[in-house]
Amino acid sequence: MKPLKRVMLKLSGEALAKEGGGYNEDEIKSIAAQVKVLYDQGIEIAIVIGGGNLWRGRTGVEIDRPKSDSIGMLATIMNCIYVSEHFRYAGMKTCIMTPFVCSTFTEQFSKDKANEYFEQKKVLFFAGGTGHPYFSTDTAMVLRAIEINADCILAAKSIDGVYDKDPGKNPDAKKFDKLTIEEVVEKKLQVIDLAASILCMENRMPMRLFSLYEENSIIKSISDDFNGTEITV
């Protein structure tokens, strides 16, 4: 693998949660410790976190889709504030950026400002999605990765890569070690949502998907010990 200078790390909201509610402190501390290894190597790091631990959309609730998506955007901000404090405690400087004004909790995103903060060796958290309904945090992840000229997206999932079918329901599911983004789109593989996949394909943004729950998986994602699926462009 070629050395990476700037990466986008995606974490699911569910990965932060503990059974019964609240945050899994041990998991978040492990994430912070692993990111600190990359940080100390001089890698510039941006992070997008989902909001699924706090809000799962309109499931069982009669609510307008744009309003539901607005709640989800706020959930990602809460997660980023919480996780960024763990990062600060671990010895990293951080900044949270959103696509809309959010009082003094965050700063409004701009590419120029983001580049300034990378130069100041800050880990950037991009919260609030795209700022618009109907777009997932997957789409926000790819959009911001493209805007900041990231070398690669590192997507930490609950499974260890991309399969030809759901491995939870199909014991014979085949895992792919490497795929092109065109194959992901053509086969409609459920890697990230289709809009995000097409955005990756059109802008030639590579991606590595792996299990967050494998020991030191974030560190391994940039090394020859990578054990997930690499998506090339």
Side-chain angles (χ1 to χ4, degrees):
M1 295 182 184
K2 74 172 187 176
L4 302 175
K5 183 178 184 295
R6 181 178 292 181
V7 297
M8 167 65 76
L9 174 63
K10 170 68 187 301
L11 303 169
S12 71
E14 291 91 334
L16 308 180
K18 67 179 179 181
E19 196 171 339
Y23 288 100
N24 185 331
E25 298 285 336
D26 291 338
E27 189 63 54
I28 295 171
K29 286 177 181 176
S30 172
I31 291 168
Q34 291 185 67
V35 173
K36 181 65 160 59
V37 173
L38 275 58
Y39 180 86
D40 287 342
Q41 292 175 7
I43 296 172
E44 297 170 345
I45 304 151
I47 295 178
V48 167
I49 305 176
N53 56 317
L54 301 177
W55 181 253
R56 290 299 303 169
R58 295 175 296 164
T59 305
V61 180
E62 290 298 324
I63 185 170
D64 183 58
R65 171 67 185 271
K67 295 294 189 295
S68 176
D69 287 355
S70 294
I71 296 170
M73 291 177 213
L74 294 175
T76 69
I77 295 170
M78 293 171 66
N79 281 341
C80 284
I81 292 172
Y82 189 82
V83 175
S84 71
E85 283 304 297
H86 279 270
F87 277 43
R88 285 159 62 89
Y89 187 79
M92 292 172 275
K93 294 184 287 185
T94 66
C95 178
I96 303 168
M97 306 189 86
T98 47
F100 43 78
V101 176
C102 191
S103 186
T104 57
F105 301 132
T106 69
E107 292 195 32
Q108 193 164 8
F109 171 81
S110 83
K111 179 175 179 176
D112 290 343
K113 215 45 171 163
N115 283 327
E116 282 182 31
Y117 290 144
F118 281 130
E119 289 176 6
Q120 295 170 20
K121 204 177 180 184
K122 290 185 178 181
V123 176
L124 300 189
F125 287 80
F126 295 135
T130 65
H132 299 282
Y134 300 100
F135 293 99
S136 70
T137 50
D138 281 343
T139 304
M141 162 192 78
V142 177
L143 176 63
R144 293 288 182 250
I146 293 165
E147 287 181 303
I148 65 171
N149 302 115
D151 295 322
C152 186
I153 292 171
L154 308 176
K157 299 282 188 177
S158 58
I159 58 174
D160 62 348
V162 181
Y163 288 79
D164 60 348
K165 47 194 169 184
D166 188 343
K169 298 177 181 177
N170 303 279
D172 61 336
K174 174 190 171 186
K175 178 185 170 186
F176 298 103
D177 292 326
K178 186 175 283 191
L179 282 167
T180 65
I181 188 62
E182 287 84 0
E183 289 175 307
V184 170
V185 172
E186 288 169 6
K187 298 176 187 292
K188 295 183 178 178
L189 298 172
Q190 295 182 347
V191 178
I192 54 176
D193 67 55
L194 187 59
S197 295
I198 291 172
L199 200 55
C200 270
M201 182 174 68
E202 290 178 341
N203 292 275
R204 302 187 62 77
M205 177 58 63
M207 190 183 321
R208 297 173 189 169
L209 289 95
F210 57 94
S211 171
L212 179 63
Y213 304 115
E214 179 187 342
E215 186 176 3
N216 291 324
S217 61
I218 296 174
I219 297 170
K220 290 177 181 177
S221 71
I222 64 163
S223 75
D224 292 333
D225 292 330
F226 176 62
N227 191 38
T229 300
E230 184 171 7
I231 298 176
T232 61
V233 294

